[in-house]
Amino acid sequence: MKSDNQQGQVNRDNGIDLLRIIAAFLVVAGHVMSTSFSQYYEKLGAGGSITPDITTWILSFFRCVHWAVVAFFMMSGAFVLSSSKTGDFSSFYSKTWKKLGIPTLIFSIIYIIVVPLNNVITGQTDAATAIFYELFLTLQGMPARHMWYMFVLIGMYLFAPFLVLGREKMGNRAFAKFAVAAYIIGCLGCYVQRPAYYWSISTIANELGIFMMGFVIHDRIGNRKNNKLSACFFLLGLVLHVLLTVFYVHSNLIGDISGIGSVFAELEPFNPLVNVSGGLFFAGIRLLDIKKTFSGFAELSYYIYLVHPLVIMPLLLLTGIWGLPSAVFGRPVSLAVALVLTLVTFILSWLVSHLIVTFKGRKKA
């Protein structure tokens, strides 16, 4: 069982703070790149074919960074399951409601209004269809799509006190075996029964193994630092990510892959190429001996995740008005626009998040 002092070390771990920033940036990049793929899918829908060029591969590489979401789950698992205070049901659930429940409710309402409005303004659909479709996605636990993460995370937090009590009873070694079993069964369960409602017990239970593995990896590494071993983990994670990119392009854009290849081409947390690479990057960053602190910036990653679609939508509207290409085949400028758009989105999301945190701080004072 972790002491309160050890729990504090999770908060102050420079590697975890750095990973929060990297993961937040990659989530933004992945969502920006996903908008660039509309032209590819439009061409395929019109009966055309695609021969990937360097632009396609680079866009796809950043499109496939879903391991960043897995890393967020694991960081949360390392933080929450390391603390014996999590076993205090009343206190923990009260804090969870304030930290996760209220922001999820507020931003869900915002996106129910903003997303249909954006779809109508950009001419994607009519008002009635836009509103109905967004309400349908919200019912599934996906307002603005990216909010599915919040619904699953809340479910994981609801399970957390039971997991901590179980860990304290069985010990960390037995809990690690239990976590590995839950991870394997959960991944297989998601393939058998694909997530339909992200707030459902079945979906959360199947994803819970990833959350638990965050604690296991964090606990096994402890205070050890090994830059060479860290580099090995990073390299293995990169290899899996490149393999995912290859499967994704061949399955979705070229269409020359089927069977087991198409299974491993999915950009979902239960895809082993996604969650194992996420675990490798998480372990790698934990092993690095990082002296510089990133806590101030890292604390904003939570709100960066929540607000970044609110930044992406007007920016995409402006790029359309200005006639900037988002994904024109074979043009290096298309890649430049996508990368610049990612940087601008991240910076503006950081500024908005900073304002939110500052406002909350003043309100408490």
Side-chain angles (χ1 to χ4, degrees), residues 116 120 125-132:
V120 172
T125 184
D126 60 272
T129 302
I131 294 172
F132 176 80

Side-chain angles (χ1 to χ4, degrees), residues 62 83 92 116 118 131 211 223 238 243 304 327:
F62 285 102
S83 175
F92 181 75
N118 175 75
I131 294 172
F211 184 73
N223 295 321
L238 182 61
L243 185 60
I304 289 174

Side-chain angles (χ1 to χ4, degrees), residues 28 32 35 312 315-316 319 336-346:
V28 172
V32 170
T35 64
I312 291 177
L315 285 178
L316 288 177
T319 59
V337 169
L339 293 176
V340 169
L341 189 59
T342 297
L343 287 172
V344 173
T345 299
F346 184 74

Side-chain angles (χ1 to χ4, degrees), residues 312-332:
I312 291 177
M313 284 184 278
L315 285 178
L316 288 177
L317 184 62
L318 288 175
T319 59
I321 294 173
W322 294 335
L324 297 176
S326 58
V328 180
F329 307 116
R331 291 188 182 179

